[in-house]
Amino acid sequence: MEVPNKVPHFIWRAVGESLPTKKNLVKRCVATDGHCGLCEVEVEDSIHALWLCDDVKPIWMSTQSFSFLRTQKLLTFEDLFCYLLQNATPS
């Protein structure tokens, strides 16, 4: 698949939990509060920031291609990525 280099780099960082999420910023003593800046309820890690946050869900639900994923129990971004790889349909 031909994509810009920044796409696999972003996925690699998200899977490895090395994005600058609030959880990681607290761990590095850069921030004092690890809660999501959008919903202010959950701790912001990669899966929450990119998939589980109630403020982000409408974006993914706006397309039929991703709505079926809401039925899956995904705990990490790696779970999401692996599920997508295993269930991808060739275009």
Side-chain angles (χ1 to χ4, degrees):
M1 181 166 54
E2 290 186 34
V3 295
N5 287 338
K6 61 185 173 182
V7 173
H9 181 77
F10 176 81
I11 293 169
W12 175 73
R13 289 190 66 193
V15 167
E17 282 294 329
S18 66
L19 292 175
T21 59
K22 293 272 190 96
K23 179 181 178 181
N24 287 337
L25 294 175
V26 167
K27 191 181 343 179
R28 292 176 177 89
C29 299
V30 174
T32 57
D33 181 22
H35 288 88
C36 175
L38 295 174
C39 70
E40 298 180 354
V41 176
E42 300 290 330
V43 172
E44 184 188 83
D45 57 1
S46 293
I47 190 68
H48 178 79
L50 300 171
W51 185 253
L52 295 176
C53 181
D54 286 338
D55 290 352
V56 174
K57 284 180 185 178
I59 297 167
W60 294 111
M61 294 301 287
S62 67
T63 177
Q64 198 67 1
S65 302
F66 290 103
S67 60
F68 76 96
L69 283 169
R70 288 285 151 214
T71 61
Q72 303 302 313
K73 183 68 174 168
L74 304 165
L75 300 176
T76 65
F77 189 83
E78 183 177 8
D79 292 342
L80 173 63
F81 186 67
C82 288
Y83 184 86
L84 289 172
L85 285 178
Q86 291 170 355
N87 296 291
T89 56
S91 34

